[in-house]
Amino acid sequence: MKHNKIWKPLALGTCVIAAVSCGSNDDDDSSKPRQQEQPQQEEQRDQGIYKITFKTLNPAVVGNTSTGIGTITVTDQSFKFKLGMAGTPTQMTHLQHIHAAAECPTAAQDVNGDGFIDVLEGIPSYGAILIPLDGNLNSQAEGGMYGPRSNDLGLYSYTREAGLPLMLTDLQAEDTNPDDPIVKLPEGELLNLEGRTVIIHGVPKSANLPGTIGTLEGLAPEDTLPIACGTITRVQEDVTLPGTTDNRTNPAVE
Ligand SMILES: [Ca+2]
Ligand SMILES: [Ca+2]
Ligand SMILES: [Ca+2]
């Protein structure tokens, strides 16, 4: 398996895409103590349960029939993201992000006419990266070395939980790198999940992509080619879970 050869540049690139502190090996450190103060919460307009339904992007790539279901549960203290994907290119890492805008791209976004919607062509539809779905949802930068890996059947699952106040503090902070593809929330804006999309990326080197595929700095075209787009819809207005994410009382979640 060429995993090691692929992983190194991918991991390096992930530092770029997620603007992470690459000096840290701690790629899944949600247990770390946190020092940040909790921001003053406005009305809990983000609270609720959201469902994400995916459709395949770039089905011309052999082996990509990606579909999936995701659930986001937001309480006043927590943000929990669960995802199950199928039909993805097998045995490889898939970068995945919540993007800032609401539209999934269509064939019309293939502006260079090469038959593929590359990551740059999709940005006018789904926007910049808002929340990398990486090893640590408490901050955009931390945990960026991690991406879930599909198995030999093209299946993978991903579950991460963040503290909502921590997450909002990070997302509402100043954008210290305006040139990268990751954005912060405008001042005072909450998550507004229903106006966002989830994009899954990644096809194998054997996909034989044409040289016209656009990509992000530091990442191979195969790493960033979108394979699925999910739209987020709110299915429940509120979550009445006192300080816990135990889902037993929420039949909408599994
Ligand atoms: Ca194209
Ligand atoms: Ca992160
Ligand atoms: Ca930025």
Side-chain angles (χ1 to χ4, degrees):
M1 191 62 214
K2 296 173 184 171
H3 171 47
N4 289 337
K5 279 188 179 172
I6 294 172
W7 175 250
K8 261 198 167 173
L10 177 63
L12 181 66
T14 307
C15 297
V16 176
I17 199 169
V20 300
S21 165
C22 291
S24 169
N25 291 326
D26 195 351
D27 61 2
D28 188 4
D29 54 0
S30 53
S31 61
K32 266 189 182 175
R34 299 290 167 181
Q35 303 299 327
Q36 292 99 322
E37 292 178 15
Q38 295 186 356
Q40 289 186 342
Q41 290 292 298
E42 301 175 26
E43 292 176 52
Q44 299 300 326
R45 285 179 288 125
D46 283 330
Q47 281 191 16
I49 298 176
Y50 303 80
K51 187 175 181 180
I52 312 160
T53 307
F54 288 87
K55 65 177 183 183
T56 309
L57 291 179
N58 292 308
V61 175
V62 175
N64 177 29
T65 56
S66 298
T67 56
I69 292 282
T71 307
I72 307 172
T73 305
V74 183
T75 70
D76 60 346
Q77 292 297 316
S78 68
F79 173 100
K80 186 171 187 179
F81 190 101
K82 296 180 72 172
L83 175 64
M85 293 298 297
T88 68
T90 61
Q91 294 184 305
M92 60 173 294
T93 297
H94 292 286
L95 298 177
Q96 44 181 24
H97 313 92
I98 297 177
H99 284 251
E103 297 293 324
C104 286
T106 67
Q109 270 70 53
D110 176 20
V111 293
N112 66 3
D114 62 3
F116 298 88
I117 303 163
D118 65 46
V119 67
L120 302 179
E121 290 173 326
I123 284 176
S125 299
Y126 48 66
I129 294 168
L130 182 63
I131 303 171
L133 298 168
D134 55 22
N136 183 347
L137 300 183
N138 283 323
S139 83
Q140 289 178 321
E142 291 182 50
M145 301 290 283
Y146 175 82
R149 186 174 171 81
S150 55
N151 69 9
D152 57 0
L153 298 174
L155 305 171
Y156 76 82
S157 61
Y158 168 90
T159 302
R160 285 292 185 284
E161 185 168 355
L164 184 63
L166 282 170
M167 193 179 190
L168 281 173
T169 297
D170 177 74
L171 290 173
Q172 293 172 341
E174 184 185 352
D175 187 349
T176 56
N177 186 354
D179 297 325
D180 70 10
I182 306 178
V183 293
K184 295 288 188 179
L185 287 172
E187 191 174 350
E189 186 171 323
L190 297 180
L191 296 177
N192 290 330
L193 291 168
E194 205 155 39
R196 318 289 186 194
T197 45
V198 177
I199 305 295
I200 314 292
H201 307 262
V203 301
K205 304 294 179 193
S206 60
N208 228 353
L209 297 178
T212 48
I213 302 290
T215 188
L216 299 170
E217 186 177 356
L219 289 166
E222 293 86 358
D223 299 332
T224 62
L225 192 78
I227 57 170
C229 178
T231 52
I232 303 173
T233 54
R234 192 196 286 259
V235 293
Q236 188 172 316
E237 282 296 322
D238 207 350
V239 185
T240 51
L241 298 176
T244 172
T245 56
D246 187 327
N247 292 322
R248 282 175 298 185
T249 59
N250 290 280
V253 177
E254 293 185 344

